[in-house]
């Protein structure tokens, strides 16, 4: 269960840049309101169940790499809430936003206040150097574009998260999210309509997300930084091998999760 | 023995820097240069000499450097003279902003006593782009679009002119790209934005901005003078906050309107009220957060921002401006 006790928020790691915001615009008070507002979704609607959450590093930098799907980033939100609920003192992972998100009015600002950052190497490097936990969805936009019949089939797996993990000496924690790929199925998309900077207009089957139960599986942290030297982070072969390792780990967690799942809503 | 030549001494930053240099026991003498006939009244000291020169003329620079500066044995030059109005344009402005920089550097390289050249550049040289990291490093793309105002283009040209000499010059060269110095009469667009009772910003956007106080700007320039490090350094300020919060702290009512309305509104306001705030120059940063990454300056120059902005001073300045308009 996600606790919204004020003491949990008080212990949360935060680097104040002077006015109650960090340099990326993260505002814990807004995040707290957001967490409180979303707690019913986590606890009651999606009934998120966490598996092996003790594998999330208690401190220091780490990259959470997960599968990605859905019209709106429900998986990213539930993953952040799950990490927050299962770490003591609470850790609030910094999610990556695709480049078009910060340009969306209201949405970009709200996500920034809740700790999300535009997904560039510079931003993530800075966060990892500061010892933060960051989430990455290496499938990117092709992940959220997936139609329902391609659910849990990992799309092209980008290598940026491995590059950052090696360069900034952070382990990668593979994460398999089960349920998110069915929560708001799409039947198609209109590429010519780019509303508010979004890359396309999705056509969903249902008018709102389905109350599918979400299971989040955490894998053993992969210490890429112990296997490779920071200067190897520029080597395409090293990055491809490292990314394949993370992808395989995520795929294994997905397979395990699908096997253990008793039903879409259970 | 350090003797400093400081251009742009009659600006608020120039005056504050001159005062700090004069008070520094390691600095023997400060030669302040301005175009005004009289020096700022607060700079009365035996260690300070004021000289009036129009730097847009090449011969003046030559006479200054190889005349009085050679006699005094000037060792360091801090070049911060720059036209600050975004409305200013034309050949004369370009000569002051760019040609003076080029000539100053050229003559300094031939000078027998000058060893170090510190150039005050500005955050305005960077391009605002949501594809870049929020924290801008020194190698971020520059604002080279044809739509850029002359003030921005001139700053970039002057900055790049200095950069082309790095590593090939007899001088030790240091370029400091300062975050926006938030003070009156300093060319601060955000300060001018807050001189009205209502500050209009784009609806749905509230990006982070970083502001530099005069005290921190002075500390950075002194670190540049005293340091040995060469290269380009970003100088961030102490205050990083959202645009809306900035307006609130300055006692201004922030009003959000749809983005497309802002440009004509501010253009009208600029014409009618003769304000210095130009929306075209700020459109990018009113939508995306761009802050300076000061890691390099901290490592190489030992600079770290420590002084916050006194936002209540903006309220007094606003009253003063309103009174002047009356």
């Amino acid at each position: 269960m996600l606790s919204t006790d004020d003491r949990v928020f008080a212990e949360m790691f935060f680097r104040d840049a002077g006015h109650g915001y960090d340099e990326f615009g993260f505002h814990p008070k807004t995040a707290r309101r957001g967490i409180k507002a979303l707690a019913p979704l986590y606890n009651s609607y999606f009934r998120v169940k966490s598996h092996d959450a003790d594998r999330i590093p208690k401190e220091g930098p780490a990259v959470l790499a997960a599968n990605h799907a859905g019209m709106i980033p429900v998986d990213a939100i539930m993953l952040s809430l799950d990490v927050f609920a299962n770490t003591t003192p609470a850790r609030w992972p910094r999610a990556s936003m695709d480049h078009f998100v910060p340009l969306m009015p209201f949405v970009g600002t709200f996500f920034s206040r809740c700790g999300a950052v535009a997904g560039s190497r510079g931003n993530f490097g800075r966060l990892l150097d500061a010892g933060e936990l960051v989430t990455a969805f290496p499938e990117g936009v092709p992940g959220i574009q997936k139609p329902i019949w391609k659910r849990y089939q990992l799309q092209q797996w980008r290598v940026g998260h491995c590059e950052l993990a090696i360069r900034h000496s952070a382990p990668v924690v593979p994460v398999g999210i089960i349920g998110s790929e069915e929560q708001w199925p799409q039947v198609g998309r209109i590429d010519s309509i780019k509303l508010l900077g979004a890359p396309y207009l999705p056509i969903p089957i249902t008018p709102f997300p389905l109350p599918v139960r979400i299971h989040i599986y955490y894998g053993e942290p992969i210490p890429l930084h112990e296997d490779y030297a920071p200067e190897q982070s520029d080597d395409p072969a090293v990055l491809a091998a490292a990314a394949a390792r993370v992808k395989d780990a995520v795929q294994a967690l997905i397979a395990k999760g699908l096997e253990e799942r008793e039903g879409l809503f259970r | 023995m350090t003797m400093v030549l400081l251009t742009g001494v009659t600006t608020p930053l120039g005056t504050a820097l001159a005062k700090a240099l004069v008070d520094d026991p390691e600095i023997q003498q400060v030669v302040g240069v301005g175009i005004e006939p009289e020096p700022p009244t607060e700079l009365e000291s035996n260690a300070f000499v004021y000289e009036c020169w129009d730097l847009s003329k090449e011969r003046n620079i030559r006479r200054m450097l190889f005349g009085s500066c050679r006699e005094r044995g000037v060792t360091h030059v801090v070049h911060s003279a720059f036209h600050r109005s975004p409305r200013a344009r034309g050949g004369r402005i370009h000569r002051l902003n760019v040609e003076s920089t080029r000539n100053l550097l050229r003559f300094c390289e031939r000078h027998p006593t000058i060893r170090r050249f510190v150039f005050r550049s500005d955050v305005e040289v960077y391009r605002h782009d949501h594809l870049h990291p929020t924290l801008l490093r020194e190698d971020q793309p520059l604002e080279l679009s044809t739509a850029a105002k002359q003030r921005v283009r001139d700053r970039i040209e002057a900055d790049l002119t200095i950069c082309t000499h790095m590593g090939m010059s007899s001088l030790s060269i240091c370029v400091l790209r300062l975050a926006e110095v938030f003070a009156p009469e300093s060319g601060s667009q955000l300060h001018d934005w807050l001189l009205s009772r209502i500050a209009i910003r784009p609806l749905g956007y509230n990006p982070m901005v970083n502001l530099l106080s005069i005290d921190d700007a002075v500390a950075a320039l002194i670190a540049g003078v005293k340091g040995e490090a060469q290269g380009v350094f970003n100088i961030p300020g102490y205050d990083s906050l959202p645009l809306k919060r900035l307006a609130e702290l300055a006692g201004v009512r922030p009003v959000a309107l749809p983005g497309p309305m802002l440009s004509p509104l501010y253009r009208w306001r600029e014409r009618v009220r003769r304000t210095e705030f130009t929306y075209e120059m700020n459109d990018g940063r009113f939508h995306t957060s761009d802050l300076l990454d000061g890691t390099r300056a901290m490592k190489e120059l030992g600079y770290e921002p420590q002084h916050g902005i006194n936002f209540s001073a903006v309220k007094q300045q606003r009253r003063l401006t309103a009174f002047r308009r009356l």
Side-chain angles (χ1 to χ4, degrees):
Chain A
M1 288 289 278
L2 176 63
S3 166
T4 52
D5 190 329
D6 283 345
R7 277 175 302 179
V8 179
F9 292 103
E11 290 169 357
M12 195 167 75
F13 176 73
F14 169 62
R15 288 174 303 122
D16 192 346
H19 291 270
Y21 300 81
D22 82 351
E23 53 203 359
F24 294 100
F26 175 40
H27 187 229
K29 286 181 182 169
T30 306
R32 186 160 81 179
R33 283 196 290 270
I35 291 170
K36 284 185 174 178
L38 293 167
L41 282 181
Y42 177 90
N43 291 327
S44 309
Y45 194 80
F46 293 115
R47 306 171 311 285
V48 177
K49 194 171 178 192
S50 198
H51 303 261
D52 300 320
D54 55 321
R55 288 170 170 171
I56 306 166
K58 302 279 176 288
E59 57 185 19
V63 181
L64 299 173
N67 56 313
H68 198 22
M71 267 190 359
I72 53 171
V74 167
D75 47 4
I77 296 166
M78 292 303 131
L79 176 59
S80 296
L81 293 173
D82 194 57
V83 172
F84 183 79
N86 290 291
T87 45
T88 313
R91 299 195 78 176
W92 182 240
R94 309 299 295 268
S96 63
M97 294 189 274
D98 226 309
H99 289 303
F100 66 89
V101 181
L103 289 183
M104 296 171 88
F106 302 107
V107 178
T109 303
F110 178 70
F111 281 1
S112 298
R113 297 292 172 268
C114 290
V117 294
S120 71
R121 282 180 180 79
N123 288 348
F124 274 87
R126 182 93 173 181
L127 290 170
L128 289 173
D129 284 342
E132 299 247 24
L133 193 60
V134 303
T135 55
F137 296 94
E139 288 175 274
V141 172
I144 57 171
Q145 281 177 341
K146 273 186 284 198
I148 183 73
W149 53 89
K150 285 194 177 175
R151 64 192 181 279
Y152 304 116
Q153 295 173 28
L154 294 180
Q155 302 299 297
Q156 189 186 4
W157 198 255
R158 296 172 187 175
V159 299
H161 62 294
C162 294
E163 181 194 331
L164 286 165
I166 295 169
R167 186 169 292 160
H168 298 277
S169 304
V172 179
V173 182
V175 181
I177 305 176
I178 307 298
S180 65
E181 307 220 0
E182 290 115 346
Q183 47 89 15
W184 208 352
Q186 290 175 49
V187 283
R189 63 172 197 262
I190 305 170
D191 289 329
S192 55
I193 300 179
K194 298 182 190 306
L195 205 62
L196 300 174
Y200 61 91
L201 183 72
I203 306 169
I205 294 174
T206 56
F208 49 82
L210 299 169
V212 171
R213 182 162 201 167
I214 291 179
H215 296 263
I216 300 179
Y217 287 81
Y218 297 93
E220 276 296 344
I222 304 172
L224 294 175
H225 60 293
E226 289 175 11
D227 300 340
Y228 303 107
E231 50 275 18
Q232 286 181 283
S233 63
D234 288 324
D235 186 337
V238 164
L239 293 181
R245 205 167 139 193
V246 177
K247 186 181 180 184
D248 289 347
V250 173
Q251 192 74 71
L253 290 169
I254 290 172
K256 183 185 172 196
L258 290 173
E259 195 183 313
E260 287 180 1
R261 186 165 70 166
E262 293 168 353
L264 208 56
F265 300 98
R266 298 174 69 187
Chain B
M1 193 171 82
T2 306
M3 307 277 274
V4 180
L5 171 74
L6 170 60
T7 67
V9 76
T10 52
T11 63
L13 174 58
T15 305
L17 177 60
K19 266 160 61 178
L21 288 169
V22 162
D23 292 341
D24 193 313
E26 289 178 38
I27 311 290
Q28 229 75 25
Q29 196 173 43
V30 179
V31 181
V33 179
I35 199 162
E36 288 79 5
E38 296 297 325
T41 47
E42 55 265 51
L43 280 175
E44 282 178 12
S45 163
N46 291 335
F48 179 78
V49 182
Y50 181 76
E51 293 193 11
C52 172
W53 293 103
D54 177 1
L55 297 180
S56 63
K57 294 186 172 68
E58 183 186 342
R59 66 172 175 276
N60 284 351
I61 298 174
R62 190 195 298 267
R63 281 167 58 197
M64 175 183 79
L65 285 179
F66 293 95
S68 59
C69 287
R70 187 163 58 184
E71 282 168 23
R72 292 195 173 96
V74 166
T75 55
H76 291 62
V77 173
V78 180
H79 182 39
S80 70
F82 213 89
H83 207 289
R84 55 182 177 260
S85 173
R87 284 203 300 262
R89 63 188 72 169
R92 199 193 152 271
I93 302 298
H94 183 78
R95 279 197 297 281
L96 173 69
N97 291 344
V98 181
E99 297 307 326
S100 71
T101 305
R102 200 190 313 275
N103 291 326
L104 196 60
L105 184 62
R106 198 155 46 92
F107 291 133
C108 282
E109 286 179 332
R110 292 189 220 153
H111 200 274
T113 58
I114 293 171
R115 301 192 309 267
R116 186 158 169 86
F117 192 93
V118 179
F119 178 65
R120 178 249 156 121
S121 186
D122 198 279
V123 65
E124 278 177 8
V125 299
Y126 291 116
R127 190 166 82 209
H128 294 276
D129 194 332
H130 69 285
L131 296 174
H132 300 139
T134 307
L135 288 152
L136 304 174
R137 293 190 325 191
E138 287 81 357
D139 59 354
Q140 291 300 310
L142 304 178
E143 173 55 297
L144 293 168
S145 78
T146 48
K149 291 260 175 191
Q150 182 178 335
R151 180 170 105 164
V152 177
R153 289 199 314 271
D154 282 358
R155 279 179 194 267
I156 294 169
E157 192 178 344
D159 184 302
L160 292 180
T161 300
I162 303 287
C163 290
T164 55
H165 286 249
M166 276 180 192
M168 301 179 74
S169 170
S170 53
L171 295 170
S172 159
I173 298 173
C174 173
V175 173
L176 302 179
R177 290 181 181 157
L178 271 55
E180 180 158 337
V181 177
F182 190 78
E185 311 292 321
S186 297
S188 166
Q189 282 285 289
L190 286 177
H191 193 277
D192 294 332
W193 180 61
L194 295 170
L195 287 181
S196 302
R197 275 177 297 177
I198 295 172
I200 307 168
R201 64 184 181 87
L203 185 68
Y205 296 91
N206 192 13
M208 298 290 288
V209 290
N210 178 257
L211 303 171
L212 183 65
S213 63
I214 291 238
D215 289 343
D216 274 342
V218 167
L221 287 161
I222 288 182
V225 169
K226 290 185 173 178
E228 295 292 324
Q230 294 195 62
V232 181
F233 301 93
N234 282 339
I235 305 296
Y238 184 83
D239 291 283
S240 294
L241 67 171
L243 203 58
K244 186 181 169 194
R245 181 80 189 119
L246 167 66
E248 288 165 353
L249 283 172
V252 176
R253 194 186 308 157
V255 174
L257 290 177
M261 289 175 68
L262 264 64
S263 191
L265 246 171
Y266 274 115
R267 210 174 301 134
W268 172 80
R269 194 181 133 206
E270 197 186 329
R271 281 185 196 147
V272 172
R273 304 192 71 180
R274 306 298 295 165
T275 54
E276 290 286 311
F277 179 78
T278 306
Y279 184 69
E280 281 73 19
M281 271 180 71
N282 297 281
D283 187 8
R285 70 165 168 178
F286 272 29
H287 288 88
T288 56
S289 300
D290 283 327
L291 281 70
L292 292 180
D293 181 351
T295 311
R296 191 190 281 185
M298 195 163 76
K299 272 188 195 161
E300 303 283 330
L301 299 173
Y303 164 78
E304 209 171 346
Q306 288 175 340
H307 303 94
I309 305 273
N310 175 15
F311 290 100
S312 59
V314 185
K315 295 176 193 170
Q316 294 168 7
Q317 186 66 28
R318 189 164 49 249
R319 281 189 213 113
L320 190 68
T321 310
F323 180 73
R324 274 187 197 152
R325 278 190 190 132
L326 280 173

